[in-house]
Amino acid sequence: MTWLEVSTENCTVQRTLDVVGEKWTLPILRDASMGVRRFDEFRRHIGLSEAVLSDRLRKLTAAGILKSVPYQEPGSRVRHEYRMTRKGWDLWPVLVALRQWGEAYEGDPEGPVMDIRHSECGAPVRVVVECAGEHAALAPSEVTVRPGPAAHPQP
């Protein structure tokens, strides 16, 4: 069976995009990974309407990517802040890969807004594709992609 004969209805890339593929979701996750926690901070920093931000935070919380944690400022009502879960942090390499691609092809001539470096040695951080056999930095020409065990013929 060739790739064009495979149904992509159950594709994990598509299912992932169903969760994180809406326009403002990745900027919310970017900010959450940078320590933004509170609704008003997200709204102010990203420039979203309250309705859109509420919807995205609700969906990310329902998906288990963010968790809602109550807090209360003295004299104020209880509110919630949003923190990355393990599932959310597992998306961090995706954010770094998008940033890496963006710096290569869509970068600002003045330089990056975000500089990600290894805390220990100070070297820039980059995302690479490697095999489980520890062969690092594989190029697309070095891999074989084929239909997986859950692949079904197109109807």
Side-chain angles (χ1 to χ4, degrees):
M1 179 176 350
T2 70
W3 180 249
L4 292 177
E5 297 170 320
V6 173
S7 170
T8 57
E9 279 185 28
N10 196 29
C11 175
T12 53
V13 172
Q14 183 60 51
R15 290 193 339 224
T16 301
L17 288 174
D18 290 345
V19 177
V20 299
E22 291 180 332
K23 181 178 179 178
W24 296 106
T25 300
L26 292 175
I28 290 168
L29 294 176
R30 175 206 57 209
D31 279 14
S33 75
M34 297 294 289
V36 176
R37 305 262 183 273
R38 297 184 177 176
F39 185 91
D40 289 338
E41 293 172 337
F42 283 113
R43 190 168 58 84
R44 184 174 54 251
H45 194 246
I46 301 172
L48 288 171
S49 72
E50 288 186 22
V52 171
L53 180 56
S54 292
D55 178 65
R56 297 307 186 273
L57 291 172
R58 182 180 45 74
K59 287 178 179 177
L60 288 167
T61 301
I65 294 169
L66 295 177
K67 67 180 176 182
S68 174
V69 178
Y71 74 94
Q72 186 172 14
E73 299 286 344
S76 297
R77 65 182 174 89
V78 173
R79 295 178 159 252
H80 290 84
E81 61 183 21
Y82 300 88
R83 297 185 185 169
M84 299 276 272
T85 63
R86 181 78 211 146
K87 187 176 179 180
W89 280 112
D90 283 347
L91 283 166
W92 189 71
V94 175
L95 296 170
V96 175
L98 284 169
R99 179 205 161 272
Q100 183 175 314
W101 184 90
E103 289 301 323
Y105 299 104
E106 301 295 329
D108 187 321
E110 294 182 28
V113 171
M114 188 182 341
D115 186 22
I116 303 174
R117 295 188 175 265
H118 183 210
S119 298
E120 191 173 302
C121 74
V125 171
R126 61 187 174 93
V127 175
V128 298
V129 175
E130 63 183 26
C131 77
E134 300 181 18
H135 298 100
L138 298 175
S141 61
E142 298 175 288
V143 301
T144 302
V145 181
R146 59 182 176 258
H152 302 288
Q154 282 190 355

